[in-house]
Amino acid sequence: SQQGEEDPQALSIQEGENATMNCSYKTSINNLQWYRQNSGRGLVHLILIRSNEREKHSGRLRVTLDTSKKSSSLLITASRAADTASYFCATVPGRSFQKLVFGTGTRLLVSP
Amino acid sequence: NAGVTQTPKFQVLKTGQSMTLQCAQDMNHNSMYWYRQDPGMGLRLIYYSASEGTTDKGEVPNGYNVSRLNKREFSLRLESAAPSQTSVYFCASGDSGRGNTIYFGEGSWLTVV
């Protein structure tokens, strides 16, 4: 079964608005990562947050992690049409440094 | 750098046929992976190889075999294709030293009729 579940499954916003996506997972983790997938392409790594971190920023991206709730959120500020893509969270469960397990993804549509 | 290269990009198979998806990476990564992606299911791990010479099953290994030919190459074989294996297949590689961030190929679209 999937380790991560993203919420919402789909999100539609206007350019300039913020987009927030959530991820819940089931087991303890070493780190949590967010990836982006443009239609018909492979996934691209966006940001990694370790289990001992609570918040991380990268450009217009802000990721939070709450290990007590087993959840993470990805915030994209000032969205652009080019941010239209699917976003996936992925976890490295427990002590496993090798196996990355993905959630089901959030489809983001940013309209001009 | 080419990154992760997988071939073929598209393939149509008849039920029962066999084929091998090839994957190569030029980033000197120890770990390599095969995932499949189906609508509404996200990515599911088929097999992975933590290092050259080792392979392990993921979530959905049935109907597949893999070979870690060397550090660069990791192939996925369908011995007797079934319609349920119609999917998009992604190869990826990673380095556990970077928290296991992984890098994906562009995907192989496989249709089994």
Side-chain angles (χ1 to χ4, degrees), chain A residues 1-2 31 33 35 37 40-43 45 48 50 88 92 97-104, chain B residues 31 33 35 37 41-45 48 50 59 90 96 98-102 104-106 109:
Chain A
S1 62
Q2 302 289 145
N31 66 63
Q33 304 175 32
Y35 286 76
Q37 183 181 34
R41 306 297 298 273
L43 281 74
H45 178 259
L48 178 154
R50 302 188 188 283
F88 295 86
V92 178
F97 285 89
Q98 307 300 337
K99 196 166 59 175
L100 206 60
V101 181
F102 284 82
T104 51
Chain B
S31 304
Y33 310 80
Y35 288 88
Q37 185 175 32
M41 299 291 290
L43 279 85
R44 291 182 291 171
L45 183 63
Y48 67 104
E59 298 173 76
F90 288 97
S96 61
R98 286 173 156 253
N100 213 28
T101 298
I102 63 176
F104 283 82
E106 290 297 299
W109 273 253

Side-chain angles (χ1 to χ4, degrees), chain B residues 15-87:
Chain B
T15 297
Q17 285 186 319
S18 62
M19 78 158 297
T20 299
L21 298 176
Q22 307 285 355
C23 176
Q25 53 93 7
D26 61 4
M27 295 174 280
N28 201 36
H29 288 157
N30 288 319
S31 304
M32 296 187 74
Y33 310 80
W34 277 104
Y35 288 88
R36 60 177 287 174
Q37 185 175 32
D38 302 291
M41 299 291 290
L43 279 85
R44 291 182 291 171
L45 183 63
I46 304 171
Y47 270 94
Y48 67 104
S49 170
S51 61
E52 185 179 354
T54 68
T55 61
D56 287 285
K57 296 178 180 180
E59 298 173 76
V60 288
N62 291 346
Y64 305 95
N65 285 303
V66 290
S67 295
R68 182 75 182 266
L69 304 171
N70 47 55
K71 191 171 187 179
R72 290 188 65 247
E73 298 172 287
F74 188 40
S75 63
L76 178 71
R77 183 161 178 84
L78 287 69
E79 291 290 353
S80 179
S84 61
Q85 294 178 304
T86 293
S87 188

